[in-house]
Amino acid sequence: MHFDHVVFSGGGNRCFWQAGFWSVAAAALNLKPDGVAAVSAGSAVACALFAGTFEQGFLGYKKAIAGNGRNVYLRNLLREQPVFPHGDMYRDAILGSIDASALARLHQGPEIRILMSCPPRWASRPMAIMLGALAFCVDAWEKDAVHTSSGRNIGFKPLYLSVRECATPAELADLIIASSCVPPLTPQATRDGVSLFDGGLVSNVPTEFVGGSGGETLVLLSKRFKALPSVPGRTYVQPSQPIQVGTWDYTDDAALQSTFDLGRRDGETFCGALA
């Protein structure tokens, strides 16, 4: 089976299921897509996979998670250290897997476009944060919908940027973190003076970017739904069971490994069904 495009949905730590699935399916099916669309943590996973550095990055991330005792450090309210460790740990994980050589390989591979959200022009930064939180709550309520548009309905606009525009690993880290930006868990991302937010606000499964370019598309989800869309030219894959790791839980390295392992098993099942 040939896929011209691959979509990596968002989902925080749940996206390690995608990594497990891809590590099996890509080798078994010789998958070499021409283009990739990714959002939020799915973009971090996609970059590490196509750079060929996922394994070392995953080991480093699990080690950091194992050494982190809490998701909130209230004592830092009176200090200059961050209350939430997520921003620094996320950046360290990205830079731990993408160096200059890895970035060069990404530039030579399939074009990876990463989605982020631009707030309504009329919204101040505090209002944009509040509106984003509202959109995420609505999307969570519509938990059986694969494709959601609450952020778009409120006024958030999509912005796609290519990994090929990043000249340094630090620029790539900025891009991925902007696509995953959820203040106060992460620092506020900006570009040309405009605040940027998690791309999942406008599309947590960004199939629209590859929808008009023809060919077959493999869509990697990061959680289980009651029913998957039936769209010509698209193949949706999802975890075979609910993923137990928390989206923003930076304390449980064992859950990260089990999520990856589930992805591998599901990848083996997928490839076996095609044999």
Side-chain angles (χ1 to χ4, degrees):
M1 178 172 286
H2 175 73
F3 290 104
D4 304 277
H5 316 285
V6 181
V7 173
F8 286 78
S9 67
N13 286 326
R14 298 196 312 265
C15 293
F16 286 109
W17 178 88
Q18 301 169 340
F21 184 96
W22 184 263
S23 68
V24 171
L29 303 178
N30 193 30
L31 299 181
K32 296 180 180 180
D34 297 321
V36 177
V39 63
S40 197
S43 65
V45 167
C47 287
L49 288 171
F50 286 97
T53 57
F54 174 80
E55 184 175 349
Q56 71 181 57
F58 191 37
L59 288 173
Y61 182 61
K62 286 189 296 180
K63 183 177 180 180
I65 294 296
N68 179 53
R70 300 181 181 181
N71 287 308
V72 182
Y73 290 87
L74 293 178
R75 64 175 182 267
N76 289 343
L77 286 170
L78 301 177
R79 303 178 182 181
E80 295 183 357
Q81 297 173 317
V83 174
F84 299 97
H86 304 76
D88 289 342
M89 293 179 68
Y90 196 7
R91 178 175 291 276
D92 289 344
I94 296 168
L95 295 178
S97 62
I98 304 295
D99 57 13
S101 297
L103 183 60
R105 289 193 293 273
L106 285 177
H107 287 174
Q108 296 166 3
E111 184 166 20
I112 301 175
R113 291 189 177 271
I114 297 178
L115 172 64
M116 56 215 71
S117 300
C118 300
R121 292 184 178 181
W122 46 263
S124 64
R125 182 176 296 180
M127 182 178 293
I129 294 174
M130 181 185 67
L131 291 173
L134 175 62
F136 275 127
C137 288
V138 173
D139 289 345
W141 180 263
E142 299 176 346
K143 59 183 178 180
D144 292 326
V146 174
H147 295 283
T148 56
S149 58
S150 299
R152 286 179 186 263
N153 294 338
I154 290 174
F156 285 86
K157 303 295 183 182
L159 173 64
Y160 278 98
L161 294 176
S162 174
V163 167
R164 293 176 180 174
E165 297 181 33
C166 299
T168 66
E171 289 183 10
L172 178 60
D174 289 340
L175 180 58
I176 293 173
I177 291 174
S179 180
S180 311
C181 183
V182 184
L185 290 179
T186 64
Q188 179 64 65
T190 60
R191 180 181 175 86
D192 298 329
V194 177
S195 297
L196 299 175
F197 294 88
D198 193 306
L201 285 170
V202 293
S203 181
N204 200 45
V205 186
T207 54
E208 63 277 1
F209 176 75
V210 297
S213 53
E216 294 291 323
T217 299
L218 177 64
V219 183
L220 302 176
L221 302 175
S222 65
K223 67 177 182 179
R224 187 163 181 80
F225 296 90
K226 287 185 177 179
L228 298 180
S230 179
V231 181
R234 291 185 198 167
T235 299
Y236 290 81
V237 292
Q238 65 176 351
S240 58
Q241 62 190 57
I243 293 177
Q244 300 303 313
V245 69
T247 301
W248 287 99
D249 183 3
Y250 279 28
T251 64
D252 192 344
D253 59 308
L256 296 175
Q257 185 64 53
S258 66
T259 299
F260 176 81
D261 293 341
L262 176 63
R264 286 190 58 86
R265 294 194 298 272
D266 290 343
E268 291 168 355
T269 301
F270 178 79
C271 294
L274 296 177

